[in-house]
Amino acid sequence: MSAFVPDVPQTLPGNAAPGASAQAAAGLILTGERTIPDVDIENYWFRRHQVVYQRLAPHCAGREVLEAGCGEGYGADLIAGVARRVVAVDYDETTVAHVRARYPRVEVMRANLAELPLPDASVDIVVNFQVIEHLWDQPQFVAECARVLRPSGLLMVSTPNRITFSPGRDTPINPFHTRELNADELRQLLVDAGFTGVTVSGLHHGARLREMDARHGGSIIDAQIERAVADAPWSPQLAADVAAVTTDDFELVENGAGRNIDDSLDLIAIAVAP
């Protein structure tokens, strides 16, 4: 999910009508809570999420995969390029219809993530990226993941790092998030459900994004949010920088590999099913 903008339409570069480019590009309205491709104003958040799919997709090669909370569907389709089968689940009817129409190699269905519509031990991998922070009963969802996974299957989760996403708070800034996690809390959630071999990595800005941060008052993230909240036009430099972000501009760093995971933007966990 992208950054929360409270009840304010996101202002597109060039003063285009909010949502118009999003609809033309992907058939879904840009809400600020569902990241979609092909929209310049959304490109930073899209690339920040896309990079995790790209880096973790090799785990899915030749496997049967469930994406629990697929959103627009670009990630499920990316995984479908290497997996034997991809089943995608989302609760929103419009989203499910969009995925079914745009990504025919993905099997998509509407369902509640607290009751996954799959038999026991029926998939090799469950993918859950930028979703768990929205769920009211996270332990129930993780237990459902353990149920549908085959023995030694993988659960792969990404979520905003509470320490940097809602700094200094125990409750989320984003009212659409029910509970955000730090690295230790994410690890413990998975361990408590019986998962083993849990590894947690952190997503950070790479060198080029750090240069962009410096150009925009220290944070290209804050620069985007401030203009959206104020419903103010973007500067040409900000619009150009956001549109230019690629997945190569992010670094995925394992904990203990030279960068503090508590400083990461997002957390990425991989855990082995019992």
Side-chain angles (χ1 to χ4, degrees), residues 43-95:
N43 186 58
Y44 168 84
W45 298 100
F46 171 65
R47 300 303 179 188
R48 176 165 154 178
H49 296 173
Q50 183 189 35
V51 64
V52 179
Y53 285 100
Q54 288 181 345
R55 304 284 175 85
L56 271 58
H59 291 286
C60 302
R63 304 291 188 89
E64 292 188 274
V65 180
L66 166 67
E67 180 167 20
C70 64
E72 193 273 341
Y74 65 87
D77 186 64
L78 186 155
I79 292 170
V82 299
R84 182 165 73 251
R85 177 190 182 211
V86 176
V87 177
V89 171
D90 202 277
Y91 191 71
D92 181 70
E93 291 182 357
T94 301
T95 298

Side-chain angles (χ1 to χ4, degrees), residues 233-265:
W234 289 28
S235 69
Q237 182 67 70
L238 179 61
D241 280 348
V242 168
V245 174
T246 74
T247 55
D248 290 337
D249 294 322
F250 295 91
E251 296 177 353
L252 186 58
V253 181
E254 290 188 12
N255 193 15
R259 300 192 67 173
N260 188 342
I261 198 165
D262 288 343
D263 295 332
S264 65
L265 301 167

Side-chain angles (χ1 to χ4, degrees), residues 23 26 55 62 86 150 166 174 188 260:
Q23 287 178 302
R55 304 284 175 85
V86 176
R150 295 175 178 130
S166 297
N174 186 330
Q188 194 61 50
N260 188 342

